[in-house]
Amino acid sequence: MEHQLLHTCLKSLNDNNNTLSLQALASLRSLIINPNTSDSTIYSILETLTRSLQLGTNSLTTHHHILKLLTDLASHRTHLSSQILNSIHSSSLLFTESIQIATESLTSLASIANSDHNKIDDHLFMSLCFAATSTSARLRLLRNGERLGIGMHVLFTVFLGFTKDPYPYVRKASLDGLLGLCKSGNVFEDISVIEGCYFRAVELLQDNEHSVRSAAIRVVSEWGPMLIAAKEENDKIDWSNQVFVQLCSMVRDMSVEVRVEAFNALGKIKLVSEDILLQTISKKVLAIMKEKNSHGQCAAERFEILASSYAGAFVHGLEDEFHEVRKSACNSLRIHTILYAEFARQSLSLLMDMLNDDSMAVRLEALETLHHMATFECLHVQEIHMHMFLGSLLDNCDLIRSIARKIFKLVKLSDLKLFRSSVHGLLQNLERFTKDEADVFSVLFFMGRSHGNFAAHVVKEVSQEIEPVLEGKLVLDSARVAAFLVLAISAPLSQNQNGQNIPPQLFSYAVTLLGRISSALREVVDQDTLLAYLSQCSRSSNHGTEVEESSLLPVVDDAVLTHSRKDVNSPVGVPMLQTGNGTSKVQPVISCELEDLATSIVECQADELDEVMKSVNLILARVRDAWLLVQSRCTNVAVRALRDCKRELAMLTSASLESAGILAFMLQYLQVMKLFAKIWEHVVWKIRSDETGGLEYLFGKLDVRLRELRYRYIGFSKEEGLYVLELIVVACMLRLSKVEICCSPTTMKKLSAVISHIEILNDKGTIEPSNILMDAKKTVHEIESSKAGISCSLFQITNLVDFFTLKQFSLCSRVRHINAELDVPGNDSENPLPFVSGLPVAIPLDITLYNVGSENRLWLTIRMSQESTQFVFLDLNILGGCNEVKKFTFMAPFYRTPKARSFSSWISIGMECVLEDCHLVKHCGGPKRELVHLCQEKEVHLCLVRRD
């Protein structure tokens, strides 16, 4: 068969110019990737491709396909890679006038060399570099130099030489190459080599092209420290100052990109003189600087120019009109504030001003810098700073409030007034954002432990608020009282608490809130230890009449210590109250008649559903804030924020199917947004350097999650349904904008189908579609009407993706989750089901379906491996119709019993995606479209029946 196919391909050679047709090339690829193709056929294919390559009379498209086939051939037949490499070398395609052919040839060389660990000859590489007349060819050579295995010193020579190329992109690629040599851990012992690279990069700081200046800054920031390390010990500080000053000269550049790179680079210089750092936060030249007539390696006559170049460098960055620059300046400032106390003190006012910045990313970065200072005990807050500092506790962004509270955990306050203001600010935070209660309690505990005397003073001042008001009863639902109790119980743990006693009854009050407090302090102490501590402190006797006055108040009895953790946390648990006659009795908290129990449960479930909806919508607002961070290139911070949302979601409980469906949808949505964030970093910001396969894996996971989001949840309002479809549209355009993995026909078909579905939903015109949907619709129509296909609109698609903004999304309807549970009763590895080889076997299944309707098509999937899967259709009409919850037993037939003593199969329930016409699949007797799985696969164990 393969010989016939090869013969057909060879016959398709054009008689006039002896070139291969595209159809023949496509047929050859099927033979190349087939592992069973014989060696003789492979050698014939190689000979044919090599001959066609050497002729040089092919079209651009044919050249592209030939080089791609040779690359595939080298990948699948590694023993031929050297021969293929030589064929491409000898073809002289790198010197062709066609930029596209030269680029494709170089890419193939690099790919083959990398896959087989071959090394391109150094002399060949240099000759190609200096002989290449095409800018694109030189550019690809420089970018692929390290992949081609060229020697370090040859690369250094080539990179340094091409920094003087007339084309800016070549200069940038050369600088990037020098940067790569430094980062790859190469050691240059000759100091003149390091100096040559460093000073050449300094020269290019004045280049006309902003991308070259940005690359030069990165080289200076990496090779500068290498140069400093190579100098004598006495000269290190002078050279470090010089590198720092050179970078400071770029913070006023006209390009935003250059200014961002300059501040990023400043943060990499670890050792700088204090006087220079102080000058960077003052626009006027300081007196201490004027007294110096020279500075390190700088001549005296250049001093005034240099001093003015770095005067107020950080001030300019923090006042920049672009938030990316301000954010970078905050980050750079963080590194240097821990070096000198005076610099930290003077920088504090600048950082406090940034807490009022319009950009959330800048406010976050400023708080991270303050947290860094507090960690190294360099943060000394004054009264003038407290207003801005406390304002962060009332910010609408959860992340900002969280970081601000972390700072209060660490900061050392110098007087009682500051401590009192801090406690008041935390109470305001608690009052406005009740969901922050656990974190606020934790902060108050740490503050009280660090400032014992101050905490005792504050507790004494508010003691009237904590005292019982009616017959010795506490107002247990007061968050303010609970906060003061946390502060009170932390004060005795302080090492600087001198004689300020906390009344013992306060520890008794704290016991009534044990579950609430221990949950907040779970990272510090477990509940049993906390209970023992409170019990011990509550037994401490006070003086005078205080004991008599407290005799009617709740006290911790020894019997409490015998209660389990569950007893203490129980919502119907009753504290032991001391009565006037000295006897203890239990006062019931809840008294409910039996006939009212059902009504109470329904009311509780309704209240719980409202609370779940409210909490979920708050989390959805935080997701949008996290997306703003993604668009600000703060992907790691955004992913952490999404993880926090996931942890918060896990704390919500569900007692009804409706609330369970909402929580399941929210969890799926968070997973989708996390995948979007990671893909955005790859595709839009191009920060990641992973291979295409990793990105394809992310796209695959996103497709599965979005399909589940679309089909496994019902009850959406029209707005909510359109929002889910909008996410699918954005995912399609992200895939299309990535040329390497675009899979244009399939993705375009899916995008067109989704947009058609959106048009049907919008027929009545009651909802205005978003800009991204309207632009996507227009682009799809242009592509479909264009003969050039997607390539003509690739730039337009990329622009659409770049300008996508996640709109605010909230759940208003009661979303239901289509779900299933599957069990094989009594089956495990010790109790397998019997079977006879070659005959069908019936597998008993207990199935529970949730929210499955008659329009849904369900299939059982029974597989022994990825290649062997059997499908069984579940006809719900025969099985008894559809209800909100349906349970039944089903005997699933499995026909493919193997010739083995025992085997395992995996069973799952899938639902057919009825709207996925673009994903038709061919299963004999199985579903026609893709499936979304409603449950986890269940392993079934089977054992061969023994014959006597």
Side-chain angles (χ1 to χ4, degrees):
M1 184 68 181
E2 67 182 39
H3 292 292
Q4 293 178 357
L5 181 58
L6 179 62
H7 181 69
T8 303
C9 295
L10 295 179
K11 283 186 64 177
S12 67
L13 288 172
N14 190 298
D15 295 333
N16 296 328
N17 52 21
N18 202 35
T19 58
L20 286 169
S21 68
L22 295 181
Q23 183 178 2
L25 290 170
S27 300
L28 289 177
R29 188 175 188 277
S30 64
L31 292 173
I32 290 173
I33 63 176
N34 187 350
N36 297 321
T37 302
S38 64
D39 291 340
S40 60
T41 302
I42 291 295
Y43 280 110
S44 299
I45 293 174
L46 176 58
E47 182 181 354
T48 302
L49 294 175
T50 302
R51 185 173 64 253
S52 181
L53 195 66
Q54 297 291 348
L55 291 174
T57 56
N58 300 294
S59 64
L60 295 178
T61 305
T62 305
H63 263 305
H64 167 77
H65 285 284
I66 292 174
L67 290 169
K68 183 66 174 67
L69 287 176
L70 287 172
T71 304
D72 291 340
L73 189 56
S75 176
H76 290 80
R77 300 291 193 277
T78 55
H79 62 282
L80 297 176
S81 58
S82 299
Q83 186 176 347
I84 296 171
L85 202 63
N86 294 330
S87 299
I88 299 177
H89 283 162
S90 59
S91 66
S92 302
L93 291 180
L94 289 172
F95 308 104
T96 181
E97 294 180 359
S98 171
I99 295 177
Q100 185 173 349
I101 291 179
T103 302
E104 292 288 348
S105 303
L106 178 62
T107 304
S108 299
L109 276 175
S111 177
I112 295 171
N114 188 54
S115 64
D116 197 43
H117 305 286
N118 288 325
K119 307 298 180 184
I120 305 299
D121 183 71
D122 291 352
H123 296 289
L124 174 62
F125 177 76
M126 291 191 69
S127 63
L128 289 173
C129 286
F130 292 109
T133 57
S134 167
T135 304
S136 177
R138 295 201 302 276
L139 196 60
R140 285 301 184 95
L141 279 166
L142 293 172
R143 288 176 177 174
N144 290 286
E146 290 189 71
R147 293 181 63 190
L148 294 171
I150 307 302
M152 177 184 65
H153 294 288
V154 173
L155 283 176
F156 178 83
T157 303
V158 172
F159 289 150
L160 193 62
F162 275 98
T163 56
K164 298 184 179 181
D165 194 276
Y167 292 93
Y169 290 123
V170 177
R171 296 197 297 274
K172 179 184 179 298
S174 302
L175 288 169
D176 290 340
L178 291 172
L179 184 65
L181 288 178
C182 183
K183 287 187 173 182
S184 60
N186 294 308
V187 179
F188 294 88
E189 298 179 355
D190 190 348
I191 192 172
S192 62
V193 172
I194 303 174
E195 288 179 344
C197 179
Y198 170 78
F199 286 116
R200 179 57 188 152
V202 170
E203 291 177 19
L204 289 174
L205 292 176
Q206 309 304 320
D207 196 276
N208 293 328
E209 180 64 32
H210 69 88
S211 62
V212 178
R213 297 197 299 275
S214 297
I217 289 173
R218 291 191 291 270
V219 173
V220 169
S221 67
E222 293 293 338
W223 283 79
M226 189 185 298
L227 179 61
I228 295 168
K231 294 293 181 180
E232 297 291 335
E233 196 66 32
N234 295 335
D235 297 332
K236 288 184 185 295
I237 184 64
D238 291 334
W239 277 97
S240 183
N241 289 338
Q242 181 179 348
V243 175
F244 187 82
V245 168
Q246 288 288 359
L247 294 171
C248 283
S249 66
M250 303 302 295
V251 299
R252 297 181 185 86
D253 194 275
M254 295 296 292
S255 168
V256 177
E257 177 188 347
V258 173
R259 297 200 298 275
V260 171
E261 285 292 348
F263 282 110
N264 289 342
L266 287 175
K268 297 179 181 179
I269 310 302
K270 307 299 183 184
L271 182 62
V272 187
S273 296
E274 183 178 12
D275 52 358
I276 292 182
L277 285 176
L278 291 173
Q279 184 63 76
T280 59
I281 55 176
S282 173
K283 292 184 178 180
K284 295 182 179 179
V285 178
L286 301 177
I288 187 174
M289 302 300 297
K290 292 180 179 179
E291 294 173 1
K292 298 187 176 185
N293 57 5
S294 65
H295 199 72
Q297 301 295 318
C298 306
E301 59 271 14
R302 296 181 56 200
F303 170 70
E304 289 296 334
I305 299 176
L306 281 175
S308 61
S309 69
Y310 61 83
F314 281 117
V315 179
H316 285 290
L318 296 174
E319 294 176 350
D320 197 279
E321 61 178 314
F322 291 92
H323 70 88
E324 296 93 344
V325 181
R326 300 196 299 273
K327 178 177 176 292
S328 179
C330 285
N331 182 275
S332 179
L333 197 61
R334 177 192 314 173
I335 307 300
H336 303 292
T337 50
I338 64 175
L339 296 177
Y340 306 103
E342 181 61 22
F343 180 69
R345 186 186 66 80
Q346 294 189 26
S347 300
L348 186 57
S349 298
L350 297 174
L351 289 169
M352 287 297 177
D353 290 339
M354 304 312 295
L355 298 182
N356 199 31
D357 196 277
D358 294 335
S359 170
M360 181 175 63
V362 175
R363 299 200 301 275
L364 278 171
E365 199 65 45
L367 284 169
E368 289 284 5
T369 301
L370 292 173
H371 181 261
H372 186 73
M373 294 170 66
T375 302
F376 288 90
E377 299 183 355
C378 298
L379 181 61
H380 302 288
V381 181
Q382 304 298 322
E383 186 176 354
I384 192 175
H385 304 135
M386 287 304 293
H387 174 69
M388 295 299 300
F389 201 9
L390 294 175
S392 300
L393 292 172
L394 303 179
D395 197 284
N396 289 326
C397 175
D398 294 351
L399 277 174
I400 289 179
R401 297 198 307 275
S402 176
I403 297 176
R405 289 191 295 267
K406 289 179 182 178
I407 297 173
F408 277 104
K409 275 186 178 183
L410 300 173
V411 70
K412 299 295 187 294
L413 301 172
S414 57
D415 57 57
L416 179 60
K417 186 176 182 180
L418 292 178
F419 184 84
R420 190 185 292 115
S421 299
S422 302
V423 173
H424 179 68
L426 288 165
L427 292 176
Q428 285 185 312
N429 176 194
L430 181 59
E431 181 181 353
R432 183 174 297 185
F433 304 98
T434 55
K435 62 181 179 179
D436 295 345
E437 179 182 278
D439 208 9
V440 170
F441 285 1
S442 177
V443 175
L444 287 171
F445 183 84
F446 276 89
M447 288 181 63
R449 197 169 62 176
S450 303
H451 308 80
N453 287 330
F454 296 162
H457 274 291
V458 171
V459 171
K460 185 176 181 181
E461 291 170 359
V462 299
S463 58
Q464 293 301 320
E465 296 185 42
I466 308 176
E467 292 298 319
V469 289
L470 291 174
E471 300 179 358
K473 294 182 180 178
L474 284 171
V475 184
L476 297 180
D477 59 348
S478 171
R480 182 179 176 87
V481 170
F484 284 131
L485 288 175
V486 172
L487 193 62
I489 67 175
S490 66
L493 300 175
S494 174
Q495 296 180 354
N496 59 357
Q497 201 233 352
N498 301 319
Q500 294 290 343
N501 294 323
I502 303 296
Q505 62 266 30
L506 298 187
F507 297 92
S508 300
Y509 301 161
V511 172
T512 63
L513 303 171
L514 182 62
R516 199 167 166 185
I517 295 175
S518 64
S519 176
L521 305 182
R522 60 185 179 273
E523 295 181 359
V524 182
V525 62
D526 63 81
Q527 184 168 293
D528 292 335
T529 304
L530 180 62
L531 179 59
Y533 165 71
L534 296 177
S535 175
Q536 180 183 357
C537 293
S538 67
R539 292 195 188 94
S540 303
S541 60
N542 235 332
H543 298 284
T545 60
E546 292 183 0
V547 175
E548 298 176 3
E549 291 174 354
S550 64
S551 61
L552 298 178
L553 301 178
V555 297
V556 180
D557 190 76
D558 287 335
V560 177
L561 293 176
T562 64
H563 285 221
S564 66
R565 184 176 300 184
K566 179 178 179 181
D567 294 331
V568 175
N569 274 334
S570 174
V572 295
V574 189
M576 300 295 290
L577 301 185
Q578 186 81 15
T579 60
N581 58 7
T583 61
S584 296
K585 62 180 182 179
V586 175
Q587 297 183 359
V589 177
I590 298 176
S591 176
C592 183
E593 297 293 337
L594 185 61
E595 58 268 18
D596 297 330
L597 182 59
T599 304
S600 299
I601 292 176
V602 172
E603 291 175 354
C604 288
Q605 288 183 349
D607 293 339
E608 181 222 21
L609 185 60
D610 292 337
E611 289 298 319
V612 168
M613 290 286 287
K614 188 182 299 182
S615 300
V616 163
N617 283 324
L618 287 174
I619 294 175
L620 285 169
R622 291 170 59 187
V623 171
R624 185 176 184 275
D625 292 339
W627 185 255
L628 294 176
L629 291 173
V630 173
Q631 293 185 310
S632 301
R633 300 197 179 194
C634 303
T635 308
N636 291 334
V637 179
V639 171
R640 286 200 299 270
L642 292 174
R643 288 184 186 137
D644 291 339
C645 292
K646 188 176 179 181
R647 282 193 289 268
E648 184 174 333
L649 187 69
M651 297 175 64
L652 301 177
T653 57
S654 60
S656 65
L657 285 177
E658 286 186 328
S659 58
I662 293 171
L663 294 180
F665 169 81
M666 193 61 209
L667 178 61
Q668 190 89 346
Y669 179 70
L670 288 174
Q671 292 170 340
V672 165
M673 295 314 301
K674 185 178 177 182
L675 288 168
F676 265 121
K678 292 181 178 179
I679 292 173
W680 202 269
E681 193 174 27
H682 281 279
V683 177
V684 178
W685 298 134
K686 297 178 176 60
I687 294 176
R688 299 285 187 185
S689 59
D690 298 28
E691 295 296 328
T692 302
L695 183 57
E696 178 61 33
Y697 172 74
L698 291 176
F699 272 120
K701 287 185 65 175
L702 180 62
D703 288 343
V704 172
R705 298 297 186 193
L706 286 173
R707 195 179 298 125
E708 291 177 347
L709 208 61
R710 183 180 183 185
Y711 292 101
R712 289 192 62 186
Y713 299 91
I714 56 177
F716 286 129
S717 65
K718 194 171 182 180
E719 294 89 343
E720 294 162 352
L722 281 175
Y723 180 80
V724 173
L725 292 176
E726 180 177 321
L727 293 178
I728 297 174
V729 168
V730 174
C732 290
M733 290 193 297
L734 279 170
R735 184 184 282 272
L736 288 170
S737 65
K738 195 65 177 174
V739 183
E740 295 89 339
I741 59 169
C742 63
C743 305
S744 303
T746 302
T747 308
M748 276 303 304
K749 190 174 181 180
K750 179 179 180 180
L751 181 58
S752 180
V754 174
I755 290 178
S756 299
H757 187 60
I758 291 172
E759 290 176 346
I760 294 173
L761 292 177
N762 278 329
D763 273 347
K764 296 182 180 180
T766 55
I767 300 176
E768 184 69 23
S770 63
N771 292 333
I772 190 72
L773 291 179
M774 296 176 65
D775 293 338
K777 175 182 174 183
K778 180 180 178 182
T779 303
V780 168
H781 290 327
E782 289 178 359
I783 293 173
E784 290 175 344
S785 60
S786 173
K787 295 181 180 180
I790 189 171
S791 59
C792 68
S793 301
L794 182 59
F795 179 74
Q796 187 175 354
I797 290 174
T798 305
N799 281 344
L800 286 181
V801 170
D802 290 343
F803 289 107
F804 167 69
T805 301
L806 189 72
K807 63 183 181 182
Q808 183 60 57
F809 172 61
S810 59
L811 276 177
C812 303
S813 55
R814 305 296 171 87
V815 179
R816 289 175 292 158
H817 185 204
I818 298 179
N819 198 19
E821 293 178 1
L822 181 66
D823 187 37
V824 185
N827 178 254
D828 54 36
S829 58
E830 299 296 329
N831 299 285
L833 295 175
F835 78 96
V836 177
S837 179
L839 297 179
V841 60
I843 303 175
L845 302 175
D846 288 342
I847 298 176
T848 306
L849 302 178
Y850 299 92
N851 301 310
V852 176
S854 57
E855 72 279 3
N856 300 125
R857 291 174 56 84
L858 301 188
W859 295 83
L860 277 176
T861 62
I862 310 175
R863 69 174 182 87
M864 289 180 57
S865 64
Q866 295 295 340
E867 295 79 18
S868 176
T869 304
Q870 176 190 311
F871 297 93
V872 179
F873 182 65
L874 293 176
D875 193 335
L876 299 180
N877 295 321
I878 297 177
L879 294 172
C882 303
N883 301 311
E884 185 177 1
V885 180
K886 178 177 178 56
K887 297 182 179 180
F888 59 91
T889 300
F890 181 76
M891 302 299 290
F894 182 62
Y895 301 100
R896 304 174 182 175
T897 52
K899 294 181 179 180
R901 292 182 178 274
S902 63
F903 73 98
S904 295
S905 62
W906 288 265
I907 302 182
S908 179
I909 299 176
M911 182 175 67
E912 198 168 343
C913 302
V914 294
L915 298 176
E916 295 284 331
D917 291 331
C918 56
H919 286 286
L920 297 177
V921 292
K922 295 180 180 179
H923 292 304
C924 183
K928 296 181 180 179
R929 297 172 179 86
E930 291 283 351
L931 296 179
V932 289
H933 289 276
L934 305 184
C935 63
Q936 295 291 331
E937 284 188 321
K938 183 74 175 179
E939 185 176 6
V940 182
H941 302 272
L942 299 100
C943 183
L944 184 67
V945 175
R946 294 184 179 180
R947 298 180 180 179
D948 296 332

